[in-house]
Amino acid sequence: MHRLHQAELRLDAGEQSLEVFREVTEARNACIRALQAIESMLTSVTEWMWDAVAEPVLSALGLGAAVPGDSDPPRLWWCPTGLLGLLPLHAAGRAGDGVLDRVVSSFTPTLRALAEARRQPADGSDARLLLVTASEVPDAPSLLDVHRERAFLSDLFAGRHTLLDAEEAIVERVRAELPRHRWVHFSCHGAQDLLQPSQGGLLLTDGRLTVGDIGTGHFRGEFAFLSACQTATGGLFLPDEAITLSAALHYAGYRHVIGTLWSVHDQVAAEVTEAVYTDLTAGGAFDPARSARALHRATTELRDRTALSAWVPFVHTGP
């Protein structure tokens, strides 16, 4: 009887294991189908944008052919209005040809903002990087690759950075430090409120640093990298107003801002971070003026080995 009972226990354990395996397999397959649907939708959108918007614009500007791989593409600034501002114009294209092959794209919320940002920047010889990292915040999953970004940037800017991590990454502390730093990098969760875009922002340890918080400040910043989700996403009901965290930082004084149109995986964000900063420090000193081209090279490399959804969200705002 004892052996029979043991056999029954093993049988029950086996059936439970098979049930767990079946549930995991179904969940994995559901994720695969969802990712395939996203890629299919993105492909349709980018092809439509190419036919309806991007290719006619590029042809009218005399940019009718892809630039050879050993040449630097010309710069192009997009200033979309209405709901077009929610779409990734920089990613428009069809197989073998697209915006990424012909120009280095940047965005500007208004022409006046671009003109202001093109003014000669102040000397950055004494500039420091404000590095804000928050991998654990309430009601959000852990961001494992935040630690990777923190280690990489702490080493790269050794002696020239201020680190606010974990319990120090709080809203008031960040607001106090921003005016003292010309460069800032955020590695954390981000979220946009499509109905109230001024309430979107970065999720720090004690709460949200909102678009509205940033919009009330004035900085002499040169470069901001927002390694977080939805930092360049606007709202639904005020589409002609660029109410995003990227635009708020740009308006408030940061000349170059790298943000994201929608959610990104933290591993991909870390890869883009490393590629961009490695490029910008290749000459021995940090050179934010080349940030648009650095992001272009990073996203081109990603495009050649990953899915559309990995590289499309990253955008540059500024001169």
Side-chain angles (χ1 to χ4, degrees):
M1 292 294 293
H2 178 67
R3 291 181 178 178
L4 179 60
H5 180 65
Q6 288 183 325
E8 290 175 343
L9 288 177
R10 285 196 293 269
L11 181 61
D12 288 343
E15 290 178 346
Q16 291 174 4
S17 297
L18 287 173
E19 179 63 20
V20 170
F21 178 77
R22 183 187 65 78
E23 292 176 356
V24 170
T25 301
E26 288 181 353
R28 183 196 64 185
N29 291 339
C31 288
I32 291 174
R33 288 193 297 271
L35 290 173
Q36 290 173 338
I38 290 172
E39 292 302 310
S40 177
M41 178 271 294
L42 276 178
T43 299
S44 297
V45 169
T46 53
E47 289 179 349
W48 171 81
M49 288 190 301
W50 178 249
D51 296 338
V53 182
E55 197 283 330
V57 168
L58 295 180
S59 294
L61 294 173
L63 303 170
V67 176
D70 57 350
S71 301
D72 272 341
R75 296 284 305 280
L76 179 70
W77 285 263
W78 301 97
C79 185
T81 60
L83 294 177
L84 193 61
L86 297 174
L87 297 178
L89 289 169
H90 64 291
R94 288 186 174 272
D97 193 14
V99 173
L100 202 63
D101 302 294
R102 300 193 190 185
V103 297
V104 174
S105 289
S106 293
F107 287 81
T108 182
T110 65
L111 295 180
R112 176 175 292 181
L114 179 59
E116 288 288 332
R118 282 180 168 177
R119 294 182 178 180
Q120 185 67 25
D123 177 27
S125 58
D126 62 344
R128 292 173 60 85
L129 175 73
L130 175 61
L131 176 56
V132 182
T133 57
S135 60
E136 305 283 346
V137 298
D139 303 318
S142 299
L143 297 174
L144 299 180
D145 282 271
V146 165
H147 306 289
R148 172 179 167 184
E149 290 186 35
R150 183 182 63 218
F152 172 76
L153 291 172
S154 294
D155 181 64
L156 190 65
F157 289 88
R160 295 192 70 189
H161 76 283
T162 301
L163 174 62
L164 300 181
D165 179 51
E167 66 274 4
E168 292 187 314
I170 59 177
V171 173
E172 288 306 312
R173 181 75 188 277
V174 171
R175 292 183 67 180
E177 293 291 346
L178 277 173
R180 302 172 186 152
H181 295 79
R182 298 196 61 224
W183 311 326
V184 60
H185 183 96
F186 287 93
S187 181
C188 56
H189 280 288
Q192 178 58 296
D193 187 328
L194 295 177
L195 302 181
Q196 294 181 293
S198 64
Q199 297 306 306
L202 299 165
L203 307 186
L204 303 181
T205 302
D206 69 334
R208 182 175 300 197
L209 179 69
T210 68
V211 173
D213 291 333
I214 295 296
T216 61
H218 182 71
F219 314 103
R220 294 179 62 253
E222 177 67 14
F223 179 78
F225 194 124
L226 308 176
S227 183
C229 296
Q230 302 175 21
T231 54
T233 306
L236 289 177
F237 299 116
L238 294 170
D240 290 329
E241 297 184 30
I243 306 177
T244 73
L245 194 66
S246 292
L249 279 166
H250 187 58
Y251 278 130
Y254 280 88
R255 298 179 71 240
H256 298 276
V257 183
I258 292 176
T260 55
L261 282 174
W262 53 70
S263 297
V264 294
H265 194 284
D266 60 323
Q267 180 180 347
V268 176
E271 289 182 22
V272 174
T273 292
E274 292 175 353
V276 167
Y277 281 96
T278 298
D279 193 319
L280 295 182
T281 55
F286 184 54
D287 184 9
R290 298 188 296 107
S291 56
R293 293 194 181 279
L295 182 63
H296 178 85
R297 283 187 280 268
T299 51
T300 299
E301 195 277 333
L302 267 180
R303 181 192 62 173
D304 294 340
R305 63 179 176 83
T306 60
L308 266 173
S309 56
W311 66 269
V312 168
F314 295 92
V315 293
H316 170 266
T317 298

